[in-house]
Amino acid sequence: MTKNQKLIQWVNEWKEICQPDSVYWCDGSEEENQRLLDEMVASGAAVKLNEKLRPGSYYFQSDPSDVARVEDRTFICSAKKEDAGPTNNWADPAEMKAKMLEMYKGCMKGRTMYIIPFSMGPIGSNIAHIGVEITDSAYVVVNMRIMTRMGKKVLDVLGEGDFVPCVHSVGAPLAPGQQDVKWPCAPIEKKYITHFPETHEIWSFGSGYGGNALLGKKCFALRIASVMAKEQGWLAEHMLILGLTNPRGEKKYVTAAFPSACGKTNLAMLIPTIPGWKVECVGDDIAWMKFGADGRLYAINPEAGFFGVAPFTSMETNPNAMLSCRANTIFTNVGLTPDGDVWWEGIGTECPEGTITWKNKVYDPASGEPVAHPNARFTAPAYQCPAIDSDWENPAGVPISAFLFGGRRPSTVPLIHEARSWQHGVFMGSIVGSEVTAAAIGLKAGVRRDPFAMLPFCGYHMGDYFAHWLKLGKAAKDAAKLPKIFYVNWFRKDNGKFLWPGYGENSRVLAYIFDRCNGQGEAVETVIGKVPAVNSIPTEGLEGMDTSKMEKVLAVNKEEWKDEVALIEEHYARFGNHLPAELSEELAILKKNLA
Ligand code: OXD
Ligand code: MN
């Protein structure tokens, strides 16, 4: 398959360590995919869904202990502890490798070792990068085929070139004759998701679940890529990318960084409620950006599919996501209906009697247990999204006009405010915060700061990451060509009720952003930045929205912001002398404005 000596040698080394029954190089073909799926159906690991209702689609139930990313088992193993920073778990790379090597020894006995060459980004794009994942999970192979470009075509482009080596095992060897379980994995204390930033390596052990096992996504495209981006002067971000077209046919692209479970997939595929506007999706989770020759930042979506949260996705909340997973989709931990289709809470229909829950029990409404796990997922090809952008695979990327930051903030933060400068925008990104989500286990409930929505995904010291953003702004050939930066909050409440309807109505805010990027739209200076003049966000046709409600949604309350400042100070204290002086300066400006 390849003449790449580094690759051949690396595979041989791991074969020696893991002792699989066989080694298989994935070519990415349709036949290969079908064979693996058929094998998993035959073994009982998967159920083929009703071909008429959900063509080409498969159903999986995970082990009940293996349902989400495991942040407390995720490590950045930099040579120096300080370089991992206060937001990451750190372990000494040599010690971690020694410990994990013991675990990897013989871990693939009774299993096949699959080699998956994959490209993050359109093959051959100069923003894209290649990785190779070794895994003993066929589930991982069929998911990686949707989420990345994978197989022989990637090896052809790789040639003798370099790649990011990613090692994965579910950590469940089989003794001779031992019957496999439906979802093999290791107990929690044996799960490790580790990253070696100096050598750009990823080692994952013990989990078969998405973010722990599909190593192209969070491990490579965010944690390791953020390190590469710092070294090489680009950006690897936890951001959706969307194209926005106004009624005159003008188009702009924006990205948005929100913490997990704040509706990134919904915004990326939004259907505008305002006439004449169009939103098209380039990506729903990750953006890689480099400067183009014209001095603008260009973004690609390094992924090729959506690994979306199923519960509460419906024809009401996100029709484009529903249509993306209408066929050729892998469902994990949702419910299985008696007619061989899927069901989850918030899908918009009654749960059919006899539906099987993610825990493989017949659904009993009296039990109080959900049908789908709250973090149940669909893995769907991006090209199936009716709103996919015509340039989503453009190797040159799409030019970005604006960055949006945001989170779930019931108080304090207005619907939208705009940064006065790049430096102020970096300050905004650094203070992003949100309510805790179901996408990660082992967390305390409450609001947590999630700078740039990168808290669990930055592969190095978060303070140095802020400095990288500042440096990138300074490196721009023409500061006027840098994206404008906005902070949005769809989740503000009054008396316990959301003030803003959200979903498709967020197009009104996008329209305002579009105008601001054209030097139009009215903004007023406030203590926290530029806030829209009350009538400059279009509200025609928005039921129940009058001027006084709009004032509430946009209000900047100095007392609330004084409390916020105290929280920001506490948050910033974590970064010690890695906190860039520019951000202390922005905080000082905010304090002065509030005095
Ligand atoms: C995700 C996440 O799964 O951010 O995308 O947790
Ligand atoms: Mn994400």
Side-chain angles (χ1 to χ4, degrees):
M1 283 281 271
T2 180
K3 292 201 178 77
N4 189 308
Q5 284 311 310
K6 172 182 163 183
L7 176 53
I8 293 169
Q9 205 181 330
W10 175 71
V11 168
N12 283 338
E13 273 168 31
W14 281 98
K15 183 179 163 221
E16 287 301 305
I17 297 163
C18 302
Q19 299 166 38
D21 281 5
S22 59
V23 176
Y24 177 80
W25 290 74
C26 300
D27 63 19
S29 65
E30 184 52 50
E31 299 73 54
E32 169 186 281
N33 187 53
Q34 196 55 56
R35 178 164 43 76
L36 293 175
L37 287 163
D38 290 346
E39 281 171 18
M40 285 188 280
V41 171
S43 77
V47 172
K48 174 153 176 41
L49 294 172
N50 184 319
E51 187 59 24
K52 285 214 183 78
L53 301 173
R54 203 64 70 165
S57 300
Y58 293 82
Y59 173 73
F60 289 82
Q61 292 165 341
S62 81
D63 186 275
S65 70
D66 202 26
V67 292
R69 288 186 291 102
V70 282
E71 289 183 12
D72 52 350
R73 311 295 307 165
T74 300
F75 293 83
I76 301 297
C77 302
S78 44
K80 283 194 279 176
K81 180 171 188 193
E82 188 176 348
D83 290 337
T87 58
N88 285 309
N89 299 314
W90 176 84
D92 177 81
E95 280 171 26
M96 180 58 88
K97 282 194 168 174
K99 175 156 68 184
M100 287 185 77
L101 274 173
E102 276 309 306
M103 297 165 57
Y104 279 122
K105 257 187 212 161
C107 71
M108 294 188 187
K109 277 189 185 155
R111 300 189 184 279
T112 301
M113 179 164 129
Y114 301 96
I115 317 297
I116 313 171
F118 63 94
S119 175
M120 296 314 289
I123 292 177
S125 158
N126 79 343
I127 312 180
H129 289 274
I130 288 176
V132 183
E133 177 163 351
I134 287 176
T135 180
D136 52 5
S137 161
Y139 171 83
V140 166
V141 178
V142 294
N143 274 274
M144 285 291 281
R145 186 163 183 273
I146 296 175
M147 293 306 295
T148 72
R149 285 92 178 162
M150 84 71 151
K152 181 175 178 308
K153 57 193 182 214
V154 177
L155 282 185
D156 294 345
V157 175
L158 175 66
E160 305 279 326
D162 205 8
F163 61 93
V164 170
C166 311
V167 181
H168 172 252
S169 170
V170 293
L174 292 168
Q178 185 184 341
Q179 181 68 29
D180 202 2
V181 293
K182 206 169 55 177
W183 183 282
C185 64
I188 184 77
E189 67 281 4
K190 285 198 174 159
K191 293 192 209 296
Y192 283 94
I193 320 298
T194 62
H195 308 74
F196 302 93
E198 281 91 2
T199 48
H200 301 172
E201 290 169 284
I202 299 161
W203 289 16
S204 167
F205 188 91
S207 169
Y209 169 81
N212 305 325
L214 312 178
L215 301 185
K217 194 176 180 64
K218 303 298 188 183
C219 298
F220 179 178
L222 289 175
R223 297 195 191 97
I224 291 297
S226 65
V227 172
M228 294 164 66
K230 174 169 168 275
E231 290 165 357
Q232 301 161 9
W234 50 283
L235 291 173
E237 301 301 324
H238 189 207
M239 289 178 172
L240 67 86
I241 311 165
L242 64 83
L244 186 60
T245 306
N246 74 4
R248 289 188 302 281
E250 264 179 273
K251 188 166 192 178
K252 293 186 194 301
Y253 289 93
V254 307
T255 71
F258 305 150
S260 305
C262 285
K264 278 213 335 279
T265 304
N266 290 348
L267 184 65
M269 300 178 189
L270 165 150
I271 297 179
T273 51
I274 40 176
W277 287 81
K278 193 156 79 179
V279 166
E280 286 160 297
C281 174
V282 177
D284 78 328
D285 197 37
I286 301 174
W288 283 0
M289 289 169 275
K290 289 187 181 163
F291 282 113
D294 62 359
R296 298 189 69 186
L297 268 178
Y298 282 78
I300 60 163
N301 170 10
E303 302 190 278
F306 307 120
F307 185 62
V309 175
F312 300 97
T313 304
S314 69
M315 287 308 281
E316 192 89 348
T317 61
N318 193 341
N320 283 321
M322 289 301 280
L323 295 169
S324 301
C325 64
R326 69 192 176 276
N328 309 314
T329 295
I330 294 167
F331 294 93
T332 307
N333 286 344
V334 300
L336 175 64
T337 65
D339 58 357
D341 201 358
V342 288
W343 193 91
W344 51 75
E345 280 70 17
I347 198 171
T349 56
E350 284 294 308
C351 182
E353 216 179 271
T355 294
I356 305 293
T357 71
W358 76 277
K359 284 192 173 166
N360 205 31
K361 294 193 191 119
V362 177
Y363 177 51
D364 170 11
S367 72
E369 290 205 15
V371 170
H373 185 277
N375 195 36
R377 299 281 177 149
F378 57 84
T379 319
Y383 67 81
Q384 289 186 176
C385 178
I388 201 73
D389 193 84
S390 54
D391 268 334
W392 85 279
E393 298 208 90
N394 186 337
V398 295
I400 301 302
S401 298
F403 291 141
L404 277 54
F405 296 116
R408 285 177 187 268
R409 295 301 307 269
S411 72
T412 315
V413 182
L415 178 63
I416 175 167
H417 65 297
E418 179 184 330
R420 289 179 289 257
S421 63
W422 181 265
Q423 177 174 308
H424 184 217
V426 174
F427 172 74
M428 284 180 173
S430 76
I431 62 170
V432 165
S434 192
E435 284 171 19
V436 168
T437 78
I441 50 180
L443 296 172
K444 272 194 292 193
V447 172
R448 74 165 176 170
R449 292 285 156 186
D450 190 347
F452 291 78
M454 284 287 277
L455 186 71
F457 306 123
C458 183
Y460 59 101
H461 196 300
M462 187 65 84
D464 298 346
Y465 167 87
F466 299 157
H468 173 57
W469 264 81
L470 291 164
K471 190 170 153 199
L472 196 103
K474 286 180 190 141
K477 275 196 282 191
D478 179 355
K481 289 186 176 167
L482 284 169
K484 277 179 165 297
I485 301 178
F486 299 85
Y487 197 116
V488 296
N489 177 26
W490 323 131
F491 302 96
R492 197 168 195 176
K493 285 184 174 174
D494 186 36
N495 283 324
K497 285 212 182 97
F498 288 115
L499 279 163
W500 181 254
Y503 298 109
E505 304 297 0
N506 292 338
S507 57
R508 298 170 189 273
V509 178
L510 293 179
Y512 173 79
I513 290 168
F514 191 104
D515 288 346
R516 293 299 295 160
C517 293
N518 268 348
Q520 298 158 343
E522 225 188 305
V524 288
E525 287 290 347
T526 75
V527 290
I528 61 165
K530 299 178 200 178
V531 172
V534 163
N535 294 320
S536 55
I537 294 194
T539 53
E540 301 85 60
L542 194 53
E543 236 174 86
M545 187 57 73
D546 52 21
T547 307
S548 88
K549 202 164 176 193
M550 218 42 217
E551 276 166 357
K552 274 189 188 164
V553 103
L554 292 172
V556 178
N557 177 322
K558 280 195 178 184
E559 292 313 307
E560 284 181 343
W561 276 92
K562 281 181 189 163
D563 294 343
E564 186 75 6
V565 161
L567 297 174
I568 297 169
E569 279 174 335
E570 207 177 289
H571 162 59
Y572 270 7
R574 298 182 78 186
F575 306 115
N577 60 7
H578 286 256
L579 184 76
E582 290 92 331
L583 296 187
S584 306
E585 190 181 308
E586 287 298 329
L587 183 56
I589 294 170
L590 176 58
K591 272 168 99 169
K592 199 175 108 226
N593 290 349
L594 290 167

